[in-house]
Amino acid sequence: MQTDGFPTTASSARDQLSGLLTGLINRSPGTAQALLAAGDGLKLAYTEQPVDDADNLAAVIVGLYSLARQQFKDAPGGVRQVAVEHDGGSLFVMSAGVHFTDTKAVSTVLAVVASPDADPGQVGYEMDKLIKGLDEHLIVEARSNTFHGQGL
């Protein structure tokens, strides 16, 4: 989105995050897609893929992460990673932006889709490195339920 020919702050930040995700893919042979989503399912940035695919992947990864968190709700610590392995490839999901105390903030999750020949250790390393480098920037303000527009 642009205003008067200049990118808005939100689109500029999204483009920068997408560039970082592309770098992660380029450093991890066998990876195909990466996506960063808010814990409520909103996609924040993603590598080249159709928008509908990115929306679907955001919903899937947030759901997977939420299910894993529910399973371990009484255990100390938090869910760090969820991995799904299939004959056609793997899906890795990691929590991101987890070191915060603001109760009005929403955590984020990072996902990478990889082919069967990808090295899971390399993928995990690159995901972890990206998350640690951006930790405090991966926190999203929670959206309110209040509508601020004019009614019909």
Side-chain angles (χ1 to χ4, degrees), residues 67-136:
L67 288 169
R69 271 193 6 207
Q70 181 62 29
Q71 176 60 37
F72 294 101
K73 67 181 179 217
D74 296 328
V79 173
R80 292 183 298 274
Q81 181 176 341
V82 177
V84 177
E85 188 175 347
H86 183 273
D87 291 340
S90 299
L91 171 64
F92 302 96
V93 180
M94 281 190 180
S95 60
V98 295
H99 303 293
F100 63 90
T101 57
D102 185 352
T103 58
K104 293 184 179 182
V106 176
S107 65
T108 55
V109 288
L110 173 63
V112 171
V113 177
S115 66
D117 61 332
D119 177 359
Q122 177 70 27
V123 175
Y125 171 78
E126 293 295 341
M127 291 175 75
D128 189 55
K129 189 167 88 171
L130 177 70
I131 290 166
K132 286 180 179 173
L134 293 174
D135 194 36
E136 71 267 8

Side-chain angles (χ1 to χ4, degrees), residues 32-37 41-62 91 111-113:
Q33 300 170 348
L35 183 134
L36 184 66
L42 179 68
K43 69 182 178 308
L44 301 173
Y46 54 98
T47 55
E48 291 186 33
Q49 58 188 286
V51 173
D52 289 345
D53 290 352
D55 286 333
N56 184 56
L57 183 57
V60 167
I61 66 172
V62 168
L91 171 64
V112 171
V113 177

